[in-house]
């Protein structure tokens, strides 16, 4: 099957496919979402600069335009989140992990950033790692799925360690509080014992 995409007003810079749709990004600052069966344009996602790259996953598509990083809901079209100035200059390249939760961007500044998508309907994106392996523009990114899975496992393990450390700190505060309460009770008990011994000595003195 062959068909031509005519609806962009500028050069097409990137293409991607999933099971049912095709995605095209262009210098006309838009991504068009196409139905692969009926060859119809289903949605147009408007950006604020030239679209450089895109990466769909499930019902979302991530994209880079200008220096910014976007995440869109492709089911009904709203922009879920935008990271302004993801790179110092243009954000050229984009790759996505097999679960869709990790995004990797490469830019004109020679850096590679790793971002994590948190949440679904009300998602937000945060940068969790940066590498600076290049001294010039990064135009393309690719990785093997086993390596991506290993990175995601490390991220999950790091989250687990952070949560465990928080719980330990909280429990430590509770234990210190319990210890202080125990010391207070012990001091009070020792004081009661001393008072009792003093009273007993006074009674023996009176009897004597």
């Amino acid at each position: 099957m062959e068909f031509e995409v005519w609806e962009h007003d500028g050069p097409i810079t990137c293409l991607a496919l999933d099971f049912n749709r095709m995605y095209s990004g262009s210098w006309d600052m838009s991504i068009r979402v196409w139905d692969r069966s009926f060859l119809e344009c289903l949605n147009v996602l408007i950006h604020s600069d030239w679209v450089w790259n895109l990466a769909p996953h499930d019902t979302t598509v991530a994209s880079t335009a200008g220096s910014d990083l976007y995440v869109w809901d492709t089911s009904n079209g709203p922009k879920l989140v935008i990271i302004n100035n993801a790179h110092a200059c243009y954000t050229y390249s984009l790759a996505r992990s097999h679960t869709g939760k990790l995004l990797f961007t490469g830019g004109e500044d020679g850096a590679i950033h790793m971002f994590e998508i948190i949440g679904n309907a009300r998602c937000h994106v945060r940068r969790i790692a940066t590498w600076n392996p290049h001294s010039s523009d990064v135009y393309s990114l690719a990785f093997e799925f086993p390596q991506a899975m290993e990175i995601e496992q490390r991220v999950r393990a790091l989250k687990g360690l952070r949560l465990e450390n928080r719980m330990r700190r909280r429990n430590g505060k509770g234990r210190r509080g319990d210890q202080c309460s125990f010391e207070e009770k012990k001091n009070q008990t020792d004081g009661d014992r001393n008072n009792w011994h003093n009273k007993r000595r006074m009674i023996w003195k009176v009897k004597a």
Side-chain angles (χ1 to χ4, degrees):
M1 181 182 293
E2 180 179 331
F3 74 99
E4 295 181 352
V5 177
W6 289 105
E7 295 192 27
H8 283 290
D9 295 326
I12 294 175
T13 54
C14 50
L15 287 171
L17 300 172
D18 62 18
F19 291 111
N20 301 312
R21 298 174 180 179
M22 183 183 78
Y23 305 84
S24 58
S26 170
W27 278 2
D28 65 3
M29 301 189 293
S30 73
I31 288 177
R32 292 184 177 269
V33 183
W34 305 84
D35 186 296
R36 291 176 60 182
S37 299
F38 299 99
L39 310 181
E40 295 177 351
C41 181
L42 303 175
N43 212 338
V44 180
L45 311 177
I46 303 298
H47 297 65
S48 59
D49 207 330
W50 293 351
V51 175
W52 294 109
N53 220 317
L54 60 90
H57 183 275
D58 198 14
T59 60
T60 65
V61 59
S63 59
T64 59
S67 61
D68 303 331
L69 171 65
Y70 297 77
V71 179
W72 305 81
D73 183 350
T74 56
S75 58
N76 50 19
K79 179 168 53 184
L80 296 178
V81 68
I82 176 173
I83 302 296
N84 292 307
N85 301 315
H87 287 264
C89 299
Y90 285 134
T91 304
Y92 287 129
S93 52
L94 176 65
R96 198 167 183 175
S97 66
H98 76 292
T99 63
K101 293 297 184 182
L102 296 180
L103 299 173
F104 300 83
T105 62
E108 192 176 359
D109 55 6
I112 296 173
H113 297 318
M114 179 168 67
F115 296 88
E116 182 183 18
I117 299 176
I118 303 171
N120 294 315
R122 294 182 178 179
C123 73
H124 69 277
V125 176
R126 64 175 182 176
R127 189 172 69 184
I128 57 177
T130 297
W131 299 272
N132 292 283
H134 301 284
S135 58
S136 60
D137 309 3
V138 179
Y139 288 110
S140 181
L141 284 174
F143 54 85
E144 296 179 358
F145 281 153
Q147 184 178 0
M149 290 176 66
E150 182 181 353
I151 292 173
E152 287 186 300
Q153 288 171 357
R154 289 179 182 176
V155 170
R156 292 194 193 103
L158 183 59
K159 279 185 178 179
L161 286 173
R162 287 175 179 170
L163 180 60
E164 185 178 349
N165 289 335
R166 287 177 190 168
M167 294 300 293
R168 284 180 178 175
R169 284 196 294 268
R170 289 177 184 174
N171 293 334
K173 288 179 182 178
R175 286 172 186 170
R176 285 195 293 272
D178 294 343
Q179 186 175 2
C180 290
S181 299
F182 175 76
E183 291 294 336
E184 288 177 2
K185 291 178 181 178
K186 183 179 179 182
N187 292 335
Q188 184 178 358
T189 304
D190 291 341
D192 293 341
R193 287 178 181 174
N194 292 332
N195 290 334
W196 183 80
H197 284 299
N198 291 334
K199 288 179 181 179
R200 190 174 181 184
R201 288 172 187 160
M202 290 293 294
I203 290 171
W204 279 106
K205 286 181 179 179
V206 171
K207 286 182 179 180

